[in-house]
């Protein structure tokens, strides 16, 4: 598998267009963000600790936890932050971070740690806390506001599972570090994309080329995102995201997909068609007339 570095631009130089097809690390985007300095575990608990949040849950290590699509349970945000700080301080995780920096090595080492269950939090920032919303600034890349702003918080080794998004997005690193491995939409067959879904069966962190031989011929791009740096991910680009620090905090902006980005990404056609059909069926259910009972 070939790997190249994701190109970098300053915030003043970068501007995604309707046709932009390549990812980019954007530097200097967060110069007016209060979050970079403020968002310690103590601050997060103080301004949002009483909120109830849904966490994703999986048995064992946090490998590909987002791909599992587990429902998880609702807990107090402060309890989740406590789990993050206590777990990330454990001796076995501290040993992993001291020995390894490569996401594949970290994933393999985390697999040997004694995890009965792992958790991952992705919550809408607006539902967490107004002060947290005020601590960030939305990039002025699009004429419309983001359709979603997501807060991510996970421990060392947490990975998302290789997948693509149907909307353009920007992932901003607030605390810790994450490794991003990206593949062009044209690589869908080599990545063994699951039919009708945006996730893939191939895991680039622990590659099994015997099961997925085409993946060995794929080309990818990577970066390690540090606090204050942002990554623009175009529609349809497959990406595997892995926490490579004791814990990581990110803010993820998603914008409405611009025409003709969906049409120009064949790997997403079946997914988008399925979603259109699902919305149509839902609308029909809402408009089914209720039968009036006959008089007795």
């Amino acid at each position: 598998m070939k790997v190249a570095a994701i190109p970098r631009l300053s915030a003043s130089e970068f501007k995604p267009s309707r046709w932009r097809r390549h990812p980019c690390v954007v530097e200097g985007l967060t110069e007016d963000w209060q979050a970079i300095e403020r968002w310690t575990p103590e601050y997060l608990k103080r301004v949002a600790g009483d909120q109830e949040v849904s966490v994703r849950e999986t048995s064992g290590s946090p490998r590909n936890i987002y791909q599992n699509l587990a429902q998880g349970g609702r807990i107090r945000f402060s309890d989740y932050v406590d789990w993050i700080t206590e777990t990330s301080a454990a001796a076995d995780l501290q040993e992993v971070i001291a020995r390894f920096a490569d996401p594949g090595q970290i994933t393999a080492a985390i697999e040997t740690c004694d995890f009965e269950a792992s958790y991952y939090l992705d919550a809408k920032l607006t539902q967490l806390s107004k002060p947290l919303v005020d601590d960030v600034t939305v990039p002025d890349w699009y004429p419309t506001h983001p359709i979603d702003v997501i807060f991510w918080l996970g421990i060392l080794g947490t990975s998302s599972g290789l997948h693509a998004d149907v909307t353009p997005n920007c992932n901003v690193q607030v605390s810790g570090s994450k490794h991003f491995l990206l593949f062009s939409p044209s690589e869908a067959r080599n990545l063994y994309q699951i039919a009708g879904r945006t996730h893939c069966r191939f895991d680039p962190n622990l590659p099994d080329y015997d099961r997925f031989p085409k993946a060995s011929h794929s080309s990818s791009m990577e970066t390690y995102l540090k606090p204050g740096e942002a990554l623009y991910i175009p529609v349809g680009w497959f990406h595997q995201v892995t926490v490579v620090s004791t814990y990581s905090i990110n803010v993820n902006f998603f914008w409405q997909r611009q025409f003709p980005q969906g049409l120009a990404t064949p790997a997403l056609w079946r997914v988008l068609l399925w979603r259109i059909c699902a919305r149509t069926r839902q609308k029909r259910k809402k408009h089914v007339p209720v039968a009036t009972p006959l008089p007795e």
Side-chain angles (χ1 to χ4, degrees):
M1 184 173 68
K2 299 177 182 177
V3 183
I6 297 175
R8 291 172 171 261
L9 285 175
S10 68
S12 61
E13 296 176 292
F14 178 80
K15 188 72 175 179
S17 69
R18 187 182 297 272
W19 292 94
R20 191 173 184 94
R21 300 285 295 165
H22 300 288
C24 184
V25 175
V26 183
E27 300 174 328
L29 186 70
T30 61
E31 290 181 352
D32 61 345
W33 280 41
Q34 299 294 326
I36 305 300
E37 298 295 333
R38 285 182 177 174
W39 285 13
T40 63
E42 294 74 20
Y43 177 80
L44 295 176
K45 289 196 295 183
R46 185 168 73 250
V47 302
D50 290 336
Q51 288 292 338
E52 278 202 343
V53 294
S54 294
V55 296
R56 296 183 180 271
E57 178 180 359
T58 187
S59 58
S61 73
R63 175 190 174 199
N64 293 347
I65 192 169
Y66 196 78
Q67 186 168 336
N68 291 313
L69 298 178
Q71 294 298 316
R74 292 190 64 81
I75 63 172
R76 291 176 71 246
F77 179 61
S78 60
D79 291 337
Y80 180 75
V81 174
D82 286 339
W83 179 81
I84 287 287
T85 55
E86 291 171 8
T87 305
S88 62
D92 50 358
L93 265 69
Q94 288 295 315
E95 182 179 355
V96 172
I97 199 66
R99 294 180 58 193
F100 305 111
D102 177 80
Q105 293 176 327
I106 289 174
T107 300
I110 289 293
E111 289 274 284
T112 66
C113 295
D114 189 19
F115 277 95
E116 291 186 4
S118 300
Y119 308 94
Y120 198 17
L121 172 67
D122 58 307
K124 292 181 182 293
L125 190 64
T126 54
Q127 295 178 0
L128 271 182
S129 166
K130 179 63 164 56
L132 296 184
V133 175
D134 294 339
D135 286 342
V136 307
T137 302
V138 178
D140 59 351
W141 295 346
Y142 292 92
T144 58
H145 290 291
I147 56 177
D148 259 329
V149 181
I150 305 298
F151 174 95
W152 299 91
L153 176 56
I155 61 168
L156 176 69
T158 301
S159 65
S160 61
L162 185 59
H163 69 286
D165 294 317
V166 300
T167 59
N169 70 89
C170 168
N171 202 308
V172 181
Q173 194 73 32
V174 176
S175 180
S177 180
K178 275 184 174 178
H179 175 265
F180 288 77
L181 187 67
L182 274 64
F183 299 81
S184 165
S186 63
E187 296 281 1
R189 290 184 180 274
N190 289 337
L191 304 175
Y192 299 83
Q193 181 183 2
I194 300 171
R197 292 183 58 185
T198 56
H199 275 84
C200 302
R201 291 189 289 147
F202 175 65
D203 181 355
N205 281 355
L206 296 178
D208 186 343
Y209 294 123
D210 290 332
R211 290 183 62 200
F212 309 112
K214 293 180 182 178
S216 63
H217 304 294
S218 63
S219 296
S220 61
M221 305 175 75
E222 71 172 348
T223 191
Y224 287 84
L225 215 58
K226 299 178 181 179
E229 295 180 337
L231 175 62
Y232 167 73
I233 303 178
V235 170
W237 275 72
F238 296 96
H239 47 286
Q240 171 87 306
V241 187
T242 308
V243 177
V244 292
S245 54
T246 52
Y247 67 87
S248 170
I249 302 174
N250 295 74
V251 175
N252 207 174
F253 300 96
F254 293 86
W255 287 273
Q256 185 173 359
R257 185 176 58 258
Q258 302 288 300
F259 179 85
Q261 290 174 349
L263 294 178
T265 313
L268 295 181
W269 287 353
R270 292 182 67 178
V271 176
L272 296 176
L273 179 61
W274 182 88
R275 293 188 180 189
I276 291 172
C277 292
R279 286 197 296 268
T280 302
R281 288 194 296 269
Q282 190 65 28
K283 288 181 181 179
R284 287 176 178 173
K285 286 181 180 180
K286 290 182 179 180
H287 291 89
V288 172
V290 179
T292 303
L294 295 174
E296 296 180 357

